[in-house]
Amino acid sequence: MPRSPKIIAGGVILVFFILLALVGPVLVDGDPTKTTDVGLAGPSAAHWLGTTQSGQDVLAQVVYGARVSLGVGLLSALIATVLSIVVGLIGGYAGGVVDEVLSLLTNIFLVLPALPLVIVLAGYLPSRGVTSVAAVIAVTGWAWGARVLRAQTLTLRGRDYVQAAKASGERAWRIIFAEILPVEFPVIATSFLATVLAAILAEAGLSFLGLANLSTVSWGTMLYFAQNNQALLVGAWWWFIPPGLCIALIGAGLGLLNFGIDEIANPRLRTVLPKRRKRFGAGR
Amino acid sequence: MTDEVVLAAENVTKHFAASRGRRFGLGKRPPVRAVEDVSLNLTAGRITAMVGESGCGKSTVARMLARIYPPTKGRILLRGKEVTDSRAYRRNVQMVFQDPFASLNPFHKVHYHLARPLKLHGHARTKAEVDEQVAALLERVSLTPVEQFMHKLPHELSGGQRQRVAIARALAAQPVALIADEPVSMLDVSIRLGVLRLLEKLAREENLALLYITHDIASARYFADDILVMYAGQLIEQGPSQRVTDDPAHPYTKLLLSAAPDPDQVDDEEDTTDHGEPPSLISPPSGCRFHPRCPVALPTCSTTAPLFTALADDHHTACHLYDPATVAG
């Protein structure tokens, strides 16, 4: 069991938000979109995190927003990871023309500025549902993972156990997915977590710019409405701080978890805490 | 014991594209001539050793025979025929790699490593058959208790145990020829003999044609029936191991033997002759490739490459000293 403080801290944060998204809506009653007469009220017993301009409960919005933000993050990271595994491993293993073509594709997506592309793509989407936003983010975000996995595959391709599998008659796809893929799990895990983080941020950015479906409640759309209604100017800090903090916290959690996995995979990165020395002759 | 030649290489040559080195103008870099015009026969039930110093092309020959690299020129014949179907070929020719720490996938258990070739080559179909044959294979390479070793990961095994797993994996395909590329050079001296004895026992039991590649001519003499000596990518002497080691013909073989420690001949005189360095394989020496290091080189050695001369029915060497034409002239 890893006893790394980074993994524990990151894991606790992540589990907290996953629980919030899963069971939060059961505990917090109230419709996040329901408007009431009490607009822009500060935190109180009735509304723990206050209300928005149109009297919606901020706590309910944060809780429901967690579902959308995490959902988009996980879904698009899943799509992006599958894409990067396919492109990176097949290109790295096959070499030659296949690798050239796939590398070119990867490089194109690497140099394309992601946010403007996402904005353009999102602008032309027929529907702006959670799935299509996730797909757009995945399409622009798979290239980093593919690049890393291709490099890793290039080094693994020449290893003796891959040659041995080849010499014992294994087919190429079997070598790629049964011999090379499992060995790359730590790399895939870190790249997956990094993509989740990037996707959550991208979703928040898109929503903040008003390019996602504004009728779904996510942390990003909360910030969008807070901004549009000058929450900062009127001093309604309870409106924009909770979603902003949530995004920052989950980012920190995913980052910590990522560093922790890195340390397991590469022990040289481990932070060494100075051991407290036992004092001899104490009490003299 | 049959005298059937199961695996033969005919004039195989391997050139690698050099990744470094001087380019001439915009042209291609000169290739590394790793193996040049090597022919050999592996006979069922016989152990053939291939000896030579590091970088002389031994492993490249092994990898060409195991079809990891395609030869640049020449043919590889399995029972006298060229086999194009690579899975059929691999069922018959298997290889044991040099480094048992690198040749087993760290992610897979011993059972997986042995079960894959069994399933691939159709030797076992049901799970029960696979389990039974995996157990039998582990038994044959003396990894007992079998149940215990079956479920271990490579990092839980010692070097010798890993090499036994690698040997079992090669046997799982039920090959007729086995290429062992320096199978003991990465192992502790104390367990080398055990692994060699195991290979020998298996080769005799299964009537395998075994090619044992090594840089240690002393172990080749102990272990093999025939010895092939390679120098700078070429074969320079071949014959029965007893003859080659007792009465070496080629000056390089003599050099190799004098470098091997011999406990029977304690020589107080320190050998101070400078034997030089192995030549570059990008631009090998003209004529006989050994001539710059040869203590008895003739003028003709630097201009003409020697051909194989028969010293006896089964003992051949490529050296001008034994060439009747040169000796007469």
PDB file of all heavy atoms in Angstrom, chain B residues 10 13 17 56 71 94 96 102-103 106 110 124-125 128 157 166 181 188 196 211 224 257 289 317:
ATOM      1  N   GLU B  10      22.503 -20.731 -45.442  1.00  0.00           N
ATOM      2  CA  GLU B  10      23.323 -20.760 -46.658  1.00  0.00           C
ATOM      3  C   GLU B  10      23.761 -19.355 -46.999  1.00  0.00           C
ATOM      4  O   GLU B  10      22.951 -18.535 -47.417  1.00  0.00           O
ATOM      5  CB  GLU B  10      22.502 -21.332 -47.824  1.00  0.00           C
ATOM      6  CG  GLU B  10      22.549 -22.830 -47.912  1.00  0.00           C
ATOM      7  CD  GLU B  10      21.839 -23.341 -49.152  1.00  0.00           C
ATOM      8  OE1 GLU B  10      21.359 -22.510 -49.960  1.00  0.00           O
ATOM      9  OE2 GLU B  10      21.758 -24.553 -49.304  1.00  0.00           O
ATOM     10  N   THR B  13      24.039 -13.168 -44.921  1.00  0.00           N
ATOM     11  CA  THR B  13      24.754 -11.917 -44.723  1.00  0.00           C
ATOM     12  C   THR B  13      23.780 -10.948 -44.075  1.00  0.00           C
ATOM     13  O   THR B  13      22.594 -10.959 -44.393  1.00  0.00           O
ATOM     14  CB  THR B  13      25.200 -11.364 -46.094  1.00  0.00           C
ATOM     15  OG1 THR B  13      26.115 -12.296 -46.654  1.00  0.00           O
ATOM     16  CG2 THR B  13      25.855 -10.002 -45.972  1.00  0.00           C
ATOM     17  N   ALA B  17      21.915  -0.721 -41.280  1.00  0.00           N
ATOM     18  CA  ALA B  17      22.127   0.674 -41.619  1.00  0.00           C
ATOM     19  C   ALA B  17      22.710   1.364 -40.387  1.00  0.00           C
ATOM     20  O   ALA B  17      22.158   1.260 -39.302  1.00  0.00           O
ATOM     21  CB  ALA B  17      20.805   1.318 -42.005  1.00  0.00           C
ATOM     22  N   CYS B  56      31.306  -9.937 -32.788  1.00  0.00           N
ATOM     23  CA  CYS B  56      31.754 -10.609 -34.006  1.00  0.00           C
ATOM     24  C   CYS B  56      30.576 -11.104 -34.824  1.00  0.00           C
ATOM     25  O   CYS B  56      30.748 -11.702 -35.866  1.00  0.00           O
ATOM     26  CB  CYS B  56      32.690 -11.758 -33.685  1.00  0.00           C
ATOM     27  SG  CYS B  56      31.865 -13.170 -32.967  1.00  0.00           S
ATOM     28  N   PRO B  71      17.624 -11.890 -43.046  1.00  0.00           N
ATOM     29  CA  PRO B  71      18.976 -11.751 -43.597  1.00  0.00           C
ATOM     30  C   PRO B  71      18.978 -10.803 -44.798  1.00  0.00           C
ATOM     31  O   PRO B  71      17.990 -10.720 -45.522  1.00  0.00           O
ATOM     32  CB  PRO B  71      19.339 -13.178 -44.022  1.00  0.00           C
ATOM     33  CG  PRO B  71      18.111 -13.984 -43.929  1.00  0.00           C
ATOM     34  CD  PRO B  71      17.075 -13.225 -43.189  1.00  0.00           C
ATOM     35  N   GLN B  94      13.176 -22.215 -31.978  1.00  0.00           N
ATOM     36  CA  GLN B  94      12.955 -21.347 -30.830  1.00  0.00           C
ATOM     37  C   GLN B  94      14.280 -20.815 -30.315  1.00  0.00           C
ATOM     38  O   GLN B  94      15.330 -21.360 -30.628  1.00  0.00           O
ATOM     39  CB  GLN B  94      12.231 -22.112 -29.726  1.00  0.00           C
ATOM     40  CG  GLN B  94      10.753 -22.248 -29.980  1.00  0.00           C
ATOM     41  CD  GLN B  94      10.025 -20.926 -29.789  1.00  0.00           C
ATOM     42  OE1 GLN B  94      10.189 -20.253 -28.789  1.00  0.00           O
ATOM     43  NE2 GLN B  94       9.228 -20.551 -30.773  1.00  0.00           N
ATOM     44  N   VAL B  96      16.511 -18.996 -26.941  1.00  0.00           N
ATOM     45  CA  VAL B  96      16.658 -18.602 -25.539  1.00  0.00           C
ATOM     46  C   VAL B  96      17.556 -17.372 -25.528  1.00  0.00           C
ATOM     47  O   VAL B  96      18.637 -17.392 -26.114  1.00  0.00           O
ATOM     48  CB  VAL B  96      17.276 -19.724 -24.692  1.00  0.00           C
ATOM     49  CG1 VAL B  96      17.535 -19.246 -23.277  1.00  0.00           C
ATOM     50  CG2 VAL B  96      16.378 -20.947 -24.687  1.00  0.00           C
ATOM     51  N   ALA B 102      15.726  -9.547 -18.820  1.00  0.00           N
ATOM     52  CA  ALA B 102      15.049  -8.719 -19.817  1.00  0.00           C
ATOM     53  C   ALA B 102      14.103  -9.525 -20.696  1.00  0.00           C
ATOM     54  O   ALA B 102      13.243  -8.963 -21.339  1.00  0.00           O
ATOM     55  CB  ALA B 102      16.092  -8.022 -20.705  1.00  0.00           C
ATOM     56  N   SER B 103      14.250 -10.839 -20.721  1.00  0.00           N
ATOM     57  CA  SER B 103      13.497 -11.603 -21.723  1.00  0.00           C
ATOM     58  C   SER B 103      12.136 -12.074 -21.226  1.00  0.00           C
ATOM     59  O   SER B 103      11.390 -12.684 -21.970  1.00  0.00           O
ATOM     60  CB  SER B 103      14.319 -12.790 -22.216  1.00  0.00           C
ATOM     61  OG  SER B 103      14.475 -13.725 -21.193  1.00  0.00           O
ATOM     62  N   PRO B 106       7.816  -8.308 -17.256  1.00  0.00           N
ATOM     63  CA  PRO B 106       7.652  -8.177 -15.802  1.00  0.00           C
ATOM     64  C   PRO B 106       6.194  -8.217 -15.361  1.00  0.00           C
ATOM     65  O   PRO B 106       5.904  -8.434 -14.190  1.00  0.00           O
ATOM     66  CB  PRO B 106       8.268  -6.802 -15.507  1.00  0.00           C
ATOM     67  CG  PRO B 106       8.269  -6.083 -16.805  1.00  0.00           C
ATOM     68  CD  PRO B 106       8.455  -7.132 -17.852  1.00  0.00           C
ATOM     69  N   VAL B 110       4.620 -16.599 -14.558  1.00  0.00           N
ATOM     70  CA  VAL B 110       5.288 -17.717 -15.221  1.00  0.00           C
ATOM     71  C   VAL B 110       4.291 -18.532 -16.042  1.00  0.00           C
ATOM     72  O   VAL B 110       4.552 -18.894 -17.195  1.00  0.00           O
ATOM     73  CB  VAL B 110       5.960 -18.610 -14.157  1.00  0.00           C
ATOM     74  CG1 VAL B 110       6.442 -19.899 -14.768  1.00  0.00           C
ATOM     75  CG2 VAL B 110       7.110 -17.851 -13.505  1.00  0.00           C
ATOM     76  N   ALA B 124      -2.106 -27.197 -26.871  1.00  0.00           N
ATOM     77  CA  ALA B 124      -3.069 -27.393 -25.792  1.00  0.00           C
ATOM     78  C   ALA B 124      -4.262 -26.499 -26.079  1.00  0.00           C
ATOM     79  O   ALA B 124      -4.093 -25.352 -26.481  1.00  0.00           O
ATOM     80  CB  ALA B 124      -2.435 -27.031 -24.457  1.00  0.00           C
ATOM     81  N   ARG B 125      -5.436 -27.010 -25.903  1.00  0.00           N
ATOM     82  CA  ARG B 125      -6.615 -26.198 -26.206  1.00  0.00           C
ATOM     83  C   ARG B 125      -7.418 -25.840 -24.955  1.00  0.00           C
ATOM     84  O   ARG B 125      -7.702 -24.687 -24.711  1.00  0.00           O
ATOM     85  CB  ARG B 125      -7.511 -26.925 -27.211  1.00  0.00           C
ATOM     86  CG  ARG B 125      -6.748 -27.190 -28.500  1.00  0.00           C
ATOM     87  CD  ARG B 125      -7.648 -27.465 -29.686  1.00  0.00           C
ATOM     88  NE  ARG B 125      -6.811 -27.851 -30.818  1.00  0.00           N
ATOM     89  CZ  ARG B 125      -6.196 -26.993 -31.597  1.00  0.00           C
ATOM     90  NH1 ARG B 125      -6.317 -25.708 -31.401  1.00  0.00           N
ATOM     91  NH2 ARG B 125      -5.439 -27.407 -32.598  1.00  0.00           N
ATOM     92  N   ALA B 128      -7.546 -27.142 -18.856  1.00  0.00           N
ATOM     93  CA  ALA B 128      -6.948 -28.264 -18.129  1.00  0.00           C
ATOM     94  C   ALA B 128      -5.687 -28.746 -18.844  1.00  0.00           C
ATOM     95  O   ALA B 128      -4.655 -28.995 -18.218  1.00  0.00           O
ATOM     96  CB  ALA B 128      -7.962 -29.395 -18.005  1.00  0.00           C
ATOM     97  N   LEU B 157      11.757 -14.295  -9.023  1.00  0.00           N
ATOM     98  CA  LEU B 157      12.637 -15.422  -9.316  1.00  0.00           C
ATOM     99  C   LEU B 157      14.091 -14.960  -9.414  1.00  0.00           C
ATOM    100  O   LEU B 157      14.358 -13.805  -9.724  1.00  0.00           O
ATOM    101  CB  LEU B 157      12.240 -16.057 -10.652  1.00  0.00           C
ATOM    102  CG  LEU B 157      10.800 -16.558 -10.783  1.00  0.00           C
ATOM    103  CD1 LEU B 157      10.567 -17.050 -12.189  1.00  0.00           C
ATOM    104  CD2 LEU B 157      10.533 -17.661  -9.784  1.00  0.00           C
ATOM    105  N   ALA B 166      12.675 -19.294 -19.213  1.00  0.00           N
ATOM    106  CA  ALA B 166      12.869 -18.944 -20.624  1.00  0.00           C
ATOM    107  C   ALA B 166      13.119 -20.203 -21.457  1.00  0.00           C
ATOM    108  O   ALA B 166      12.626 -20.316 -22.587  1.00  0.00           O
ATOM    109  CB  ALA B 166      14.030 -17.968 -20.769  1.00  0.00           C
ATOM    110  N   ASP B 181      21.360 -18.108 -27.132  1.00  0.00           N
ATOM    111  CA  ASP B 181      22.297 -16.993 -27.317  1.00  0.00           C
ATOM    112  C   ASP B 181      22.935 -16.637 -25.984  1.00  0.00           C
ATOM    113  O   ASP B 181      22.324 -15.945 -25.180  1.00  0.00           O
ATOM    114  CB  ASP B 181      21.542 -15.800 -27.904  1.00  0.00           C
ATOM    115  CG  ASP B 181      22.453 -14.634 -28.220  1.00  0.00           C
ATOM    116  OD1 ASP B 181      23.676 -14.793 -28.076  1.00  0.00           O
ATOM    117  OD2 ASP B 181      21.946 -13.572 -28.602  1.00  0.00           O
ATOM    118  N   ASP B 188      25.100 -16.189 -12.442  1.00  0.00           N
ATOM    119  CA  ASP B 188      26.206 -16.387 -11.509  1.00  0.00           C
ATOM    120  C   ASP B 188      26.992 -17.627 -11.921  1.00  0.00           C
ATOM    121  O   ASP B 188      26.421 -18.619 -12.372  1.00  0.00           O
ATOM    122  CB  ASP B 188      25.662 -16.612 -10.093  1.00  0.00           C
ATOM    123  CG  ASP B 188      25.330 -15.307  -9.427  1.00  0.00           C
ATOM    124  OD1 ASP B 188      25.582 -14.269 -10.053  1.00  0.00           O
ATOM    125  OD2 ASP B 188      24.826 -15.340  -8.302  1.00  0.00           O
ATOM    126  N   LEU B 196      23.545 -25.235 -18.023  1.00  0.00           N
ATOM    127  CA  LEU B 196      24.129 -25.901 -19.198  1.00  0.00           C
ATOM    128  C   LEU B 196      23.765 -27.377 -19.217  1.00  0.00           C
ATOM    129  O   LEU B 196      23.407 -27.933 -20.255  1.00  0.00           O
ATOM    130  CB  LEU B 196      25.649 -25.742 -19.190  1.00  0.00           C
ATOM    131  CG  LEU B 196      26.188 -24.413 -19.717  1.00  0.00           C
ATOM    132  CD1 LEU B 196      27.698 -24.444 -19.724  1.00  0.00           C
ATOM    133  CD2 LEU B 196      25.671 -24.160 -21.116  1.00  0.00           C
ATOM    134  N   LEU B 211      21.993 -24.851 -31.017  1.00  0.00           N
ATOM    135  CA  LEU B 211      23.111 -23.952 -31.318  1.00  0.00           C
ATOM    136  C   LEU B 211      23.411 -23.172 -30.053  1.00  0.00           C
ATOM    137  O   LEU B 211      22.577 -22.416 -29.559  1.00  0.00           O
ATOM    138  CB  LEU B 211      22.754 -22.994 -32.463  1.00  0.00           C
ATOM    139  CG  LEU B 211      23.864 -22.001 -32.832  1.00  0.00           C
ATOM    140  CD1 LEU B 211      25.069 -22.726 -33.388  1.00  0.00           C
ATOM    141  CD2 LEU B 211      23.377 -20.978 -33.845  1.00  0.00           C
ATOM    142  N   ALA B 224      29.855 -28.858 -26.216  1.00  0.00           N
ATOM    143  CA  ALA B 224      29.357 -29.022 -27.580  1.00  0.00           C
ATOM    144  C   ALA B 224      30.029 -30.175 -28.304  1.00  0.00           C
ATOM    145  O   ALA B 224      31.118 -30.611 -27.951  1.00  0.00           O
ATOM    146  CB  ALA B 224      29.570 -27.735 -28.359  1.00  0.00           C
ATOM    147  N   LEU B 257      42.120 -19.732 -27.630  1.00  0.00           N
ATOM    148  CA  LEU B 257      42.422 -20.807 -26.690  1.00  0.00           C
ATOM    149  C   LEU B 257      43.484 -20.389 -25.699  1.00  0.00           C
ATOM    150  O   LEU B 257      43.429 -20.744 -24.522  1.00  0.00           O
ATOM    151  CB  LEU B 257      42.866 -22.058 -27.452  1.00  0.00           C
ATOM    152  CG  LEU B 257      41.707 -22.865 -28.032  1.00  0.00           C
ATOM    153  CD1 LEU B 257      42.213 -23.825 -29.069  1.00  0.00           C
ATOM    154  CD2 LEU B 257      40.984 -23.612 -26.919  1.00  0.00           C
ATOM    155  N   ARG B 289      40.242 -10.790 -42.787  1.00  0.00           N
ATOM    156  CA  ARG B 289      39.898  -9.750 -41.812  1.00  0.00           C
ATOM    157  C   ARG B 289      40.763  -9.825 -40.556  1.00  0.00           C
ATOM    158  O   ARG B 289      40.792  -8.904 -39.762  1.00  0.00           O
ATOM    159  CB  ARG B 289      38.422  -9.869 -41.420  1.00  0.00           C
ATOM    160  CG  ARG B 289      37.517  -9.429 -42.547  1.00  0.00           C
ATOM    161  CD  ARG B 289      36.082  -9.400 -42.101  1.00  0.00           C
ATOM    162  NE  ARG B 289      35.248  -8.891 -43.175  1.00  0.00           N
ATOM    163  CZ  ARG B 289      33.948  -8.649 -43.043  1.00  0.00           C
ATOM    164  NH1 ARG B 289      33.348  -8.885 -41.906  1.00  0.00           N
ATOM    165  NH2 ARG B 289      33.260  -8.185 -44.057  1.00  0.00           N
ATOM    166  N   THR B 317      39.058 -24.769 -42.207  1.00  0.00           N
ATOM    167  CA  THR B 317      39.443 -23.444 -41.754  1.00  0.00           C
ATOM    168  C   THR B 317      39.645 -22.522 -42.948  1.00  0.00           C
ATOM    169  O   THR B 317      39.937 -22.982 -44.051  1.00  0.00           O
ATOM    170  CB  THR B 317      40.723 -23.503 -40.892  1.00  0.00           C
ATOM    171  OG1 THR B 317      40.945 -22.207 -40.351  1.00  0.00           O
ATOM    172  CG2 THR B 317      41.933 -23.902 -41.716  1.00  0.00           C
TER     173      THR B 317
END
